[in-house]
Amino acid sequence: MGLLSRLKEIFTGNKPEEPEAAPGPTTVPEPAKAPEPVTVPDARPEAKPAVKPGDVKVEKKPEIEETEEKPVAEKITIGHVHMSGCTGCLVSLADNYEGLFTLLDNYADLNYCLTLADVRDIPKMDVALVEGSVCLNDHHSVEDIKKARENATVVVALGGCAAYGNITRFCRGGQWNQPQHESYVPIGDLINVDVYLPGCPPSKEAIRNVAVMAYLLLRGSDEQKELAAAYLKPLMDLAQRGVEACGCDLMVDVINQSLCMGCGTCVAACPVRAITMEYGKPNIERDMCIKCGVCYAQCPRSFFNFDVMNQFEAIGEAINAAMGKGDE
């Protein structure tokens, strides 16, 4: 009530009418809320994080093992037993180069060699290539050659020193013998030897052929074993001939028997030029001879073995097939 309304009430005695209460504010209904839009998920796939090269998994294709065809499956084991010598035979073996790799890849494992394999004791082996003569004053050498015989199926006297003593037993060509030469003996004086391969040194082809034929003899088929036996028989006969050899063998067993045809093979094979051709026949200077036995072993008339002569072509084909084309 205001001051004017109070004064009017006092003078008139009427109470001023109370003003009607103003109508309250009209409640306006809230409009219906529009339905919220439905969120449609994005049809596009979520982008993947960048893949690091290291996270990429490459499926490995199954490896197909290529089997190599070999004449026979199992390798033989070969050991090189070095006694007293100049190591020239081992050098001749290494001169096969690619042919040596072919031998070691396909046919033989070199399980003992003081120069090429880190093995101290002589193990079991199929073929022992023994180089050098045996010094009787060295008991280790005597024990080693006996152990090689015990552990090897086939023992090959590799070179003139192992077969006949050569320059370790006698003098070098044109020199006097020395007292120490009496200490050295060929391995045939102490053990039984299966194959002789004379020469100073033997040719690399001869060593390769003996290794291949030893493999065929031990692991080959019946036909291959027959060829290998035919090839090795003359060398086995040399082992039965004894531990003595010199150029005079040609004189006794070939020239005096009217078998010499003057081919000159003995002249080409002699490592010290102790043989010359005189009037179409070999002339041997005995003082120059080192008694390696290669002249007799290389003479085509010293081995009248028809088993070899009739199968020479088949033997050559077997060796070429084993070594592959292009090998020597």
Side-chain angles (χ1 to χ4, degrees):
M1 182 181 294
L3 178 59
L4 181 59
S5 297
R6 185 62 184 168
L7 291 176
K8 186 178 181 180
E9 181 182 355
I10 294 171
F11 288 108
T12 63
N14 297 333
K15 292 183 179 180
E17 296 179 357
E18 292 288 337
E20 294 182 358
T26 304
T27 304
V28 178
E30 297 180 356
K33 294 183 178 178
E36 297 180 355
V38 179
T39 304
V40 179
D42 195 352
R44 294 179 296 178
E46 296 180 354
K48 297 181 179 180
V51 180
K52 299 179 180 178
D55 298 335
V56 177
K57 296 182 179 179
V58 179
E59 295 182 359
K60 293 184 179 179
K61 297 181 180 179
E63 297 181 356
I64 301 175
E65 296 183 357
E66 297 181 356
T67 57
E68 185 178 359
E69 295 183 358
K70 300 176 181 177
V72 288
E74 188 179 359
K75 287 184 177 182
I76 63 173
T77 54
I78 290 181
H80 175 266
V81 182
H82 199 305
M83 307 304 291
S84 298
C86 67
T87 321
C89 299
L90 181 62
V91 173
S92 185
L93 170 65
D95 281 345
N96 279 288
Y97 297 111
E98 292 85 357
L100 179 61
F101 292 131
T102 302
L103 284 175
L104 298 180
D105 287 342
N106 301 331
Y107 306 108
D109 286 329
L110 188 65
N111 66 344
Y112 182 76
C113 180
L114 292 178
T115 306
L116 302 176
D118 188 16
V119 179
R120 300 289 295 178
D121 298 325
I122 300 176
K124 291 283 186 181
M125 64 187 77
D126 294 314
V127 180
L129 302 175
V130 181
E131 175 182 354
S133 59
V134 182
C135 179
L136 297 177
N137 293 332
D138 182 9
H139 69 92
H140 292 292
S141 297
V142 177
E143 293 174 358
D144 284 347
I145 193 60
K146 291 181 178 179
K147 192 170 184 178
R149 177 66 275 182
E150 293 174 358
N151 292 346
T153 304
V154 178
V155 174
V156 179
L158 182 64
C161 294
Y164 304 115
N166 202 14
I167 59 173
T168 63
R169 192 182 190 188
F170 306 100
C171 66
R172 298 174 61 184
Q175 298 179 354
W176 290 97
N177 280 355
Q178 301 296 321
Q180 58 268 26
H181 285 143
E182 297 177 357
S183 300
Y184 297 89
V185 297
I187 64 174
D189 280 348
L190 299 177
I191 63 172
N192 293 324
V193 182
D194 301 304
V195 176
Y196 271 16
L197 189 56
C200 187
S203 67
K204 60 180 183 179
E205 294 85 0
I207 300 174
R208 178 204 60 190
N209 293 348
V210 167
V212 172
M213 286 302 166
Y215 170 78
L216 296 179
L217 184 66
L218 297 175
R219 300 287 190 272
S221 62
D222 293 339
E223 183 180 359
Q224 291 170 336
K225 288 181 179 179
E226 183 180 355
L227 288 177
Y231 180 85
L232 294 175
K233 189 177 186 306
L235 302 178
M236 295 178 181
D237 292 340
L238 275 181
Q240 300 299 322
R241 185 180 169 87
V243 295
E244 303 288 342
C246 74
C248 56
D249 293 337
L250 278 179
M251 186 66 68
V252 175
D253 295 337
V254 179
I255 299 174
N256 290 352
Q257 304 300 324
S258 300
L259 296 175
C260 179
M261 57 182 179
C263 66
T265 302
C266 55
V267 178
C270 181
V272 294
R273 303 292 185 267
I275 305 176
T276 56
M277 293 298 290
E278 300 288 343
Y279 303 104
K281 299 294 180 184
N283 179 44
I284 303 164
E285 190 172 350
R286 298 181 58 181
D287 291 340
M288 293 292 293
C289 178
I290 59 174
K291 301 172 180 58
C292 65
V294 68
C295 56
Y296 182 81
Q298 293 292 326
C299 176
R301 291 297 179 90
S302 62
F303 294 103
F304 261 135
N305 191 315
F306 291 97
D307 294 335
V308 177
M309 295 177 66
N310 295 334
Q311 301 186 57
F312 178 79
E313 186 175 357
I315 291 173
E317 291 177 354
I319 295 175
N320 291 334
M323 302 304 297
K325 287 185 177 181
D327 290 331
E328 294 181 8

